[in-house]
């Protein structure tokens, strides 16, 4: 057994933490629960910020969570290179914390949407995506009411030019600019995506197929080879 | 072209979970001295013509039927300077 | 403002009290005076009026609901039966499931979003109060005609309310129904179901034993929610002119409820709860009287300690407040610190408001003065019981005589299929279900579009004994059938839910129900109610599945026009190995398509009669319960032996719709021929106890033998494959065209 | 006890689907003469003390860091009469 330890954060109102921990384990790593109110990253090698409605998504999704004591530890660690993946509410928190550019806003259709979403990988140059290939198409569920990625023009141009767009929707569910479903920071260690890979890791449950498992096997390999 | 502002707030006796969650979070974020927060909606309605009485009556009707939910919300209306 | 104390009640025996305004009858009020030997205080009046209301006391339905117990089939699975917050069923390997369905019809008409949201919140707390972790929700919805303007207000609001509340709780939505009929235009039916999981030896009950134990209120603060009635009371009693406006609408806080769920689970895990009760319709009144009545018999409560959102609330209003997201627990003095610490961790307000006693009295004080002193059982259990008069509705025989056999039949069956498939009742409900999170918690094995929702239970709780089991749930109801014959209609609702559960390979175990009817004071409605309960109780006995609980919703009517009698039935079943579950529809090419069950010419209340002729008349299909049971046995055996690649039951729209839906499931077509000699009857009749099975070709002989063994008629219709639905010599429709027709309807109306 | 109002609106260049949906619905509901609608948020922040400069500076910081997201939103702040 490897020593790869992936932290899974729980805020009040986090919902997909159990799923994320299961996915981490299925990939062969250890899932370490991290609690929002602790100033303690427990020495993990990577962090997964799961989806949900932290603080009820009141005010703006992720707006209150980003001030949590745990975030005070996580923000500098991420800046220093700790691999961090945020999905859905986790992505929103990463944007609110300015670890990723842009913001996630109300879906253009004004409805919450849960569906099995076709996606295309654009850039796989991150510790969370090395098991995928550029151009590869996968199906992974989305489920959100506020997933429309927006940023000013310079930011978008920069993201595209630097290869920071990781995932694009094939059939845009929410009106995101440039069909953007997931991005990474410049260094490549912090990624945010609206889709939920942790819901596509087993044949029996969740979305059809196991297309999401690659995120977890990728980080596992990255940590073991590190 | 005139702009009318419609402010919509939950009636005072109705629970405002959003406002409460914000108010509860503030001390933890280092903000002291706030006793309550309520969150509502603000609409900017741009008119094609001037904000005369007829137009304001129209916006009022719009607020009553569409912008606010009279079962749980109150609204106020004013012309932007 | 004068406080109406027990002392004052003694001194002013003749003071007029506004019991009529609170919905109490003269004799009910007289009975309260008799119980107490004096006039009630206004606080006591508040308690009795809510506890003896139809909603809380079941005074009109009780005599009929008894049949669910007296006729109950013997069942080893039933751990807790009717009468508790929710029934509990043994699902094996040390695990138990608890489930219940409840209505929030009227609030959802007044304020669709909040009404539906708080409906979900309420049923989830019911499940929590059994000591369970809520693991999924379902919703059964009925609206007026799809294109009616008010439906465009009500439906999107209701769906958004369920979506925002349920999604925020992190409970997957694994199924339900959406139906339309003009009869529901002023009375939508919003029924929400929740299912929870717990260890068999950890069931919690609403009880307050042990004098000296503390009574704890925790969760949201108490505000002036849903207490229109109480303001009447306070102002009428005290000639108070300007009572603040009290909203009858309650607003829910799903975030608080999510914290409450996690908090309760930690409390149960730490074993610091003696008894627990959710605060539902009658708030503190209900929780205190019921806990006290079921415990040692007495309780002292300091009502002024109840933490308030609005400090101007009077005691009567606190007693009647329906503020959401609150729970009450009984805790030993030794455990209070541990209990409080867990609440603090989850940011949940917690307050000790009283103590259990053995006095046999529920005594409440307000700043030291006694305002309530009653025997709690008289409020909780000894409410009035009515045998309401009933008789068959005047038009019933004319309705039954209007046989659909006289309706002109279509010459173009292809067009007939498409028009039924695209009609709002049959059309895809994806516009609704795509707003619900069906994946959260990672245990959803089947959800829409499936005949039943299926959950894996092995990974749900920490410390779970390893198990491969799963549970399946479905809800069904058909107001059109029940209008034609409420006895049969209730049986058909049960039969359909039972059949939907059986389609997954699960063995149906237990039943919950929500009975949506008009006014019980109308003898014709009461007849419908009596017939429906009798039908349901008889059918539960025949199928061997006990009723574990449910809910009655009366007064669903606008003026004198009641909704169709609408019993909605939920069935829970168990799969010993969830890995063997059968998926819905055709999932692979090359499977043999088999029709199970007998088709008769039955068009009363059918989808075709409605869509083609806007007709409701005749008699509903016969409910053949032994045949349903045999069908379920075949499905369970076939699933566990792995003979099937898919299945789908036949219901509204008959074989035609079932074939189309089976093709749509995964985009796999089929080529079939019809067994009978009247293609129209074969395709559109709605005979019950029928299903489609997609059988692995190599298992065909074994499957046929299985059917023979259980005496289930089976017809090989053809094979799956291709990109079209082909009914030889009758019609051919590309799956893409089916999809287009099926999916376009609701988005075209609701945007 | 003073009340400070914080109005938060999406920056003009950010798409406002809620405002647009309302503007589109208006003609259907019989309201003419509206050229655009934008929807934002309104917060009522109740202070324990007076709305002096120090308190206002505090609320401004709260608005900048919490109530509004500067990436997509602008805010204004004023004391309620
Ligand atoms: N209100 C709802 N909430 C959740 N799921 C729903 C709802 N309405 C329909 N569904 C799901 O959509 C699918 C199709 O519904 P329906 O055609 O009514 O099924 P059936 O005829 O088998 O009862 C089923 O999986 C059902 O559970
Ligand atoms: Mg079905």
């Amino acid at each position: 057994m490897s020593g790869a330890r992936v932290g899974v954060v729980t805020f009040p109102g986090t919902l997909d933490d159990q799923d994320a921990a299961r996915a981490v384990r299925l990939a062969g790593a250890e899932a370490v629960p991290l609690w929002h109110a602790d100033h303690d990253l427990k020495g993990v090698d990577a962090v997964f910020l799961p989806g949900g409605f932290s603080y009820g998504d009141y005010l703006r999704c992720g707006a209150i969570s980003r001030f949590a004591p745990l975030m005070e530890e996580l923000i500098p660690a991420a800046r220093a290179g700790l691999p961090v993946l945020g999905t859905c509410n986790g992505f929103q928190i990463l944007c609110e914390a300015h670890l990723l550019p842009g913001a996630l806003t109300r879906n253009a259709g004004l409805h919450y949407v849960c569906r099995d979403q076709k996606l295309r990988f654009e850039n796989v140059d991150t510790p969370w995506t090395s098991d995928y290939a550029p151009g590869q198409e996968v199906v992974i569920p989305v489920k959100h009411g506020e997933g429309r990625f927006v940023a000013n023009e310079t930011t978008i141009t920069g993201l595209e030019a630097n290869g920071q767009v990781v995932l694009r929707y094939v059939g845009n569910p929410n009106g995101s600019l440039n069909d953007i479903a997931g991005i990474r920071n410049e260094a490549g260690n912090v990624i945010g995506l609206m889709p939920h890979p942790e819901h596509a890791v087993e044949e029996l449950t969740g979305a059809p197929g196991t297309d999401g498992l690659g995120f977890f096997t990728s980080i596992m390999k990255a940590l073991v080879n590190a | 072209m005139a702009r009318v502002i419609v402010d919509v707030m939950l009636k005072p006796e109705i629970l405002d979970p959003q406002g409460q969650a914000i108010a509860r979070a503030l001390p933890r974020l280092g903000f002291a001295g706030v006793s309550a927060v309520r969150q509502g909606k603000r609409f900017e309605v741009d008119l094609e013509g001037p904000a005369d009485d007829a137009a304001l009556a129209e916006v009022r009707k719009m607020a009553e039927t569409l912008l606010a939910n009279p079962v749980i919300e109150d609204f106020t209306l004013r012309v932007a300077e | 403002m004068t406080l109406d104390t027990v002392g004052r009640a003694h001194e002013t025996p003749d003071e007029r009290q506004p019991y009529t305004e609170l919905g109490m009858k003269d004799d009910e009020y007289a009975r309260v005076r008799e119980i107490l030997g004096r006039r009630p205080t206004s606080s006591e009046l508040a308690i009795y009026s809510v506890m003896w209301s139809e909603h809380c006391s079941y005074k009109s339905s009780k005599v009929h609901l008894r049949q669910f117990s007296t006729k109950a089939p013997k069942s080893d699975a039933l751990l807790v039966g009717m009468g508790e917050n929710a029934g509990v069923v043994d699902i094996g390997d040390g695990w138990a499931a608890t489930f219940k369905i409840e209505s929030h019809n009227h609030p959802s008409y007044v304020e669709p979003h909040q009404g539906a949201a708080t409906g979900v919140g309420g049923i989830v707390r019911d499940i929590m109060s059994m000591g369970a972790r809520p693991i999924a929700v379902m919703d059964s919805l009925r609206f007026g005609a799809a294109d009616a303007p008010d439906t465009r207000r009500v439906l999107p609001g209701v769906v958004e309310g369920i979506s925002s509340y349920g999604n925020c709780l992190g409970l997957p939505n694994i199924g339900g129904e959406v139906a339309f009929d003009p009869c529901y235009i002023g009375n939508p039916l919003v029924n929400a179901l929740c299912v929870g999981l717990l260890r068999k030896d950890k069931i919690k009950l609403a009880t307050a034993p042990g004098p000296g134990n503390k009574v704890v209120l925790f969760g949201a603060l108490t505000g002036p929610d849903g207490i229109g009635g109480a303001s009447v009371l306070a102002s009428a009693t005290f000639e108070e002119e300007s009572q603040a406006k009290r909203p009858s609408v309650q607003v829910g806080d799903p975030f608080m409820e999510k914290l409450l769920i996690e908090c309760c689970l930690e409390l149960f895990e730490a074993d610091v709860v003696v008894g627990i009760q959710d605060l539902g319709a009658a708030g503190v009144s209900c929780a205190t009287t019921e806990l006290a009545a079921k415990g040692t018999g007495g309780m002292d409560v300091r009502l002024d300690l109840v933490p308030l959102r609005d400090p101007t609330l009077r005691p009567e209003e606190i007693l009647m407040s329906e503020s959401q997201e609150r729970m009450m627990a009984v805790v030993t003095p030794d455990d209070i610190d541990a209990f409080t610490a867990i609440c603090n961790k989850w940011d949940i307000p917690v307050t000790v408001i009283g103590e259990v006693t053995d006095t046999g009295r529920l005594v409440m004080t307000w700043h030291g003065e006694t305002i309530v002193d009653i025997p709690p059982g008289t409020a909780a259990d000894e409410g009035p019981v009515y045998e309401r008069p009933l008789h068959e509705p005047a038009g019933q025989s004319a309705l039954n005589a209007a046989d659909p056999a006289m309706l002109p039949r279509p010459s173009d069956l292809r067009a007939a299929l498409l028009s039924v498939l695209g009609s709002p009742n049959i059309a895809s409900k994806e516009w609704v279900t795509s707003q619900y999170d069906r994946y959260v918690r990672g245990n959803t094995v089947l959800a829409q579009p499936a005949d039943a929702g299926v959950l894996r239970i092995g990974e749900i709780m920490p410390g779970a004994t390893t198990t491969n089991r799963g549970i399946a749930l479905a809800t069904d109801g058909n107001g059109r059938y029940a209008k034609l014959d409420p006895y049969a209609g209730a049986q058909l609702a049960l039969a359909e839910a039972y059949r939907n559960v059986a389609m997954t390979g699960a063995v149906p175990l237990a039943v919950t129900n929500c009975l949506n009817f008009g006014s019980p004071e109308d003898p014709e409605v009461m007849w419908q109610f009596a017939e429906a309960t009798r039908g349901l109780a008889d059918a539960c006995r025949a199928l061997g599945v006990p009723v574990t609980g449910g809910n009655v919703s009366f007064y669903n009517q606008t003026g004198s026009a009641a909704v169709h009698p609408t019993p909605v039935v939920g069935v829970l079943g168990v799969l010993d190995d969830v890995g063997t579950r059968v998926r819905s529809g055709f999932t692979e090419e090359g499977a043999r398509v088999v029709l199970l069950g007998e088709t008769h010419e039955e068009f009363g209340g059918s989808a075709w009669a409605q869509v083609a002729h806007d007709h409701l008349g005749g008699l509903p299909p016969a409910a053949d319960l032994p045949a349903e049971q045999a069908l379920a046995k075949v499905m369970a055996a076939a699933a566990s032996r792995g003979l099937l690649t898919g299945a789908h039951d036949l219901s509204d729209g008959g074989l035609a719709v079932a074939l189309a839906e089976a093709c749509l499931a995964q985009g796999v077509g089929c080529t079939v021929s019809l067994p009978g000699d009247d293609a129209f009857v074969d395709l559109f009749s709605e005979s019950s106890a029928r299903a489609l099975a997609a059988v692995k070709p190599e298992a065909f002989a074994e499957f046929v033998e299985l059917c023979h063994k259980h005496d289930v008629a089976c017809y090989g219709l053809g094979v799956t494959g291709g990109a079209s639905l082909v009914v030889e010599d009758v019609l051919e429709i590309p799956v893409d065209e089916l999809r287009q027709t099926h999916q376009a309807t609701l988005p075209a109306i609701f945007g």
Side-chain angles (χ1 to χ4, degrees), chain C residues 475-490:
Chain C
T475 69
D476 279 294
N478 187 322
R480 283 167 58 81
Y481 290 169
K483 172 81 175 175
L484 297 178
D485 180 347
Y487 180 89

Side-chain angles (χ1 to χ4, degrees), chain B residues 60-70 75:
Chain B
R60 175 170 302 278
K61 221 169 77 196
M62 197 185 298
E64 271 162 13
T65 53
L66 186 65
L67 304 181
N69 176 353
F75 68 90

Side-chain angles (χ1 to χ4, degrees), chain C residues 504-642:
Chain C
T504 66
V507 175
L509 275 193
V511 172
T512 184
N513 69 99
C514 190
L515 304 172
N516 305 277
F517 287 77
S519 165
E521 294 160 46
D522 176 345
E524 299 191 342
V525 169
M526 213 50 222
W527 176 83
Q528 294 173 327
F529 184 80
E531 285 297 288
T533 42
R534 192 169 65 84
L536 185 56
D538 288 347
C540 286
R541 162 171 277 188
L543 291 174
V545 283
V547 173
T548 64
N551 174 241
V552 176
S553 172
F554 279 132
Y555 299 103
N556 292 290
Q557 59 182 68
T558 313
S560 64
V563 299
H564 289 340
T566 313
V568 170
V569 180
V571 169
L572 178 139
V574 171
L575 283 143
D576 288 346
D577 178 356
V578 71
T580 65
R581 56 75 181 91
V582 178
R583 290 163 70 196
S584 205
F586 302 146
T587 62
E588 286 175 24
E589 307 228 325
R592 301 286 289 267
V593 178
V594 176
L595 171 65
L596 301 169
E598 301 276 14
T599 305
H600 311 285
E601 186 173 326
E602 293 180 294
F603 286 97
S606 67
W608 171 77
Q610 181 182 35
V611 173
H613 299 286
D614 195 14
H615 178 272
L616 177 60
L619 288 170
D624 184 344
L625 302 170
E628 298 286 358
Q629 216 165 10
L631 178 62
K633 290 215 169 97
V634 166
M635 287 302 302
S640 67
R641 292 191 217 162

Side-chain angles (χ1 to χ4, degrees), chain A residues 75-131:
Chain A
I75 292 170
R79 295 228 158 89
L82 182 75
V84 177
L85 174 62
T87 65
C88 199
N89 198 221
F91 186 10
Q92 293 160 341
I93 294 169
L94 290 173
C95 289
E96 285 282 343
H98 308 305
L99 285 170
L100 291 171
L104 294 147
T105 57
R106 188 86 190 265
N107 292 353
L110 298 179
H111 292 301
Y112 183 98
V113 53
C114 174
R115 73 184 200 198
D116 301 332
Q117 176 68 45
K118 196 190 259 195
L119 300 156
R120 187 175 62 245
F121 279 93
E122 297 291 331
N123 183 301
V124 297
D125 207 7
T126 87
W128 298 93
T129 50
S130 55
D131 275 355

Side-chain angles (χ1 to χ4, degrees), chain C residues 450-452 476 496 499-500 503 584 648-651 661:
Chain C
D451 290 321
D476 279 294
E496 190 182 344
R499 194 184 321 132
N500 275 320
M503 284 303 113
S584 205
H648 188 33
D649 73 308
L650 270 59
S651 58
E661 288 175 344

Side-chain angles (χ1 to χ4, degrees), chain C residues 310-562:
Chain C
D310 173 349
T312 68
L313 287 190
R314 304 285 306 154
E316 300 86 354
E317 296 176 312
I318 295 171
L319 285 166
M320 291 180 106
S321 164
E322 297 187 352
S323 289
Q324 303 289 301
E325 292 94 25
R326 297 180 298 164
M327 302 283 286
M328 189 172 283
V330 174
V331 182
T332 67
D334 286 348
D335 287 335
I336 276 289
D337 287 347
F339 188 101
T340 308
I342 292 171
C343 289
N344 290 342
K345 170 181 168 191
W346 289 102
D347 251 338
I348 298 283
V350 51
T351 315
V352 175
I353 62 163
E355 216 172 274
V356 176
T357 68
D358 53 10
T359 59
R361 311 287 294 184
L362 171 63
V363 178
M364 294 191 184
T365 58
W366 182 256
H367 298 291
E369 306 228 46
T370 304
I371 54 169
V372 171
D373 186 351
I374 63 170
T378 60
D381 308 321
E382 293 161 32
V385 175
Y386 294 132
E387 294 242 20
R388 301 247 188 221
L390 49 89
H391 62 71
E392 190 179 287
Q396 193 69 27
S397 51
L399 185 66
N400 294 141
D403 194 324
M406 63 190 184
L407 299 172
R409 298 189 170 182
S411 50
D412 183 348
L413 293 176
R414 184 183 199 276
L417 193 163
L418 288 172
S419 73
V420 170
L421 190 66
S423 66
N425 277 327
I426 308 280
S428 167
K429 303 304 183 307
E430 208 172 304
W431 191 92
V432 173
T433 57
S434 67
Q435 297 187 47
Y436 301 153
D437 181 353
R438 57 183 179 274
Y439 291 130
V440 63
R441 301 197 72 76
N443 293 303
T444 304
V445 175
L446 294 177
Q448 67 78 39
D451 290 321
V454 173
L455 296 168
R456 163 174 73 186
I457 61 170
E459 288 198 18
I460 287 173
M461 308 262 268
T465 331
T466 326
T467 178
N468 291 325
R469 290 175 196 259
I471 55 173
L473 282 145
T475 69
D476 279 294
N478 187 322
R480 283 167 58 81
Y481 290 169
K483 172 81 175 175
L484 297 178
D485 180 347
Y487 180 89
Q491 300 203 323
L492 288 164
L494 170 63
E496 190 182 344
Y498 179 96
R499 194 184 321 132
N500 275 320
V501 164
M503 284 303 113
T504 66
V507 175
L509 275 193
V511 172
T512 184
N513 69 99
C514 190
L515 304 172
N516 305 277
F517 287 77
S519 165
E521 294 160 46
D522 176 345
E524 299 191 342
V525 169
M526 213 50 222
W527 176 83
Q528 294 173 327
F529 184 80
E531 285 297 288
T533 42
R534 192 169 65 84
L536 185 56
D538 288 347
C540 286
R541 162 171 277 188
L543 291 174
V545 283
V547 173
T548 64
N551 174 241
V552 176
S553 172
F554 279 132
Y555 299 103
N556 292 290
Q557 59 182 68
T558 313
S560 64

